[in-house]
Amino acid sequence: MPQQQPSQGGQNGHGHRRSRSRLAAELGGPVGLGVGVSMLAVTAVRHVLKRKPPRHPLTLAEWRAAQRPDGSVHDWLGVLAHTAETGIRDPEAKRDLWPLLLGVFDPSMDTAARKSATDAYRGSYLQLVASVKDIDRDILDRVQHHQQLRQLHYEQQELQVQEQQRQMQQLQQQQ
């Protein structure tokens, strides 16, 4: 039986992987646990070397650098990716970024447009608060009126019961 030439890359001439026993025979000895552990270690080292260094949370300086002079954001996708991956460190940057992250404002809006939109939202909010307070007052008035009516009804029932008891006593005395 003629011996085949060892193929390169761990594959035979047909593109199939060689079996472990055939590979062991070609290498001249048994392929053991040590080889597998070594291959795993090499893979782990490659992974560690390829990994990106950890990033830090977005700082105020980085946030300011991502803005144009008018306040609009020129690299919104970069800021969004950095923020999603690492978070936001500075409270002032959080205050500016959260409305953009929530979609309240478009990143292309300049500072003046965001301020006018904020003022409009604030006005709407104050109107809603006033409406809720009016509704709350109306509900409280209705609850108090209902409680007064219940109290009157209860008192009337008490008076009726007392009147019936008094009439019963009179009837009993007459007999």
Side-chain angles (χ1 to χ4, degrees):
M1 185 169 186
Q3 258 190 348
Q4 290 183 340
Q5 293 289 330
S7 58
Q8 302 220 338
Q11 297 184 353
N12 63 21
H14 301 292
H16 300 300
R17 291 222 134 306
R18 289 179 273 178
S19 69
R20 186 190 298 174
S21 60
R22 184 166 188 124
L23 181 63
E26 289 176 6
L27 292 174
V31 177
L33 185 62
V35 173
V37 170
S38 298
M39 290 171 42
L40 183 63
V42 168
T43 304
V45 168
R46 282 184 188 160
H47 175 71
V48 167
L49 292 177
K50 288 181 183 178
R51 193 172 45 157
K52 294 179 185 176
R55 293 172 73 177
H56 59 279
L58 186 74
T59 63
L60 183 60
E62 291 169 329
W63 166 237
R64 295 291 181 231
Q67 292 178 306
R68 292 184 182 98
D70 67 354
S72 61
V73 183
H74 64 81
D75 183 21
W76 174 242
L77 292 179
V79 170
L80 184 61
H82 188 119
T83 303
E85 184 179 326
T86 62
I88 308 167
R89 176 178 293 160
D90 190 88
E92 188 175 339
K94 286 179 184 180
R95 185 196 70 216
D96 293 347
L97 268 168
W98 269 109
L100 296 170
L101 293 171
L102 294 172
V104 175
F105 301 132
D106 187 74
S108 64
M109 291 174 73
D110 61 16
T111 305
R114 284 198 300 262
K115 182 175 178 352
S116 68
T118 300
D119 292 342
Y121 284 133
R122 187 170 287 122
S124 296
Y125 171 77
L126 293 174
Q127 286 177 346
L128 287 172
V129 167
S131 296
V132 167
K133 285 182 179 180
D134 289 343
I135 291 169
D136 191 42
R137 218 174 293 116
D138 185 46
I139 289 172
L140 286 175
D141 288 345
R142 288 178 182 213
V143 166
Q144 287 175 347
H145 180 72
H146 179 73
Q147 287 174 342
Q148 289 172 350
L149 288 177
R150 281 185 71 184
Q151 183 64 31
L152 283 174
H153 180 72
Y154 177 74
E155 289 172 0
Q156 286 176 350
Q157 283 182 332
E158 277 294 313
L159 287 174
Q160 286 177 354
V161 167
Q162 287 175 1
E163 179 63 27
Q164 287 174 353
Q165 288 175 347
R166 192 177 57 77
Q167 286 178 357
M168 292 282 283
Q169 286 175 352
Q170 284 179 354
L171 280 177
Q172 286 176 352
Q173 285 176 357
Q174 288 177 358
Q175 292 178 351

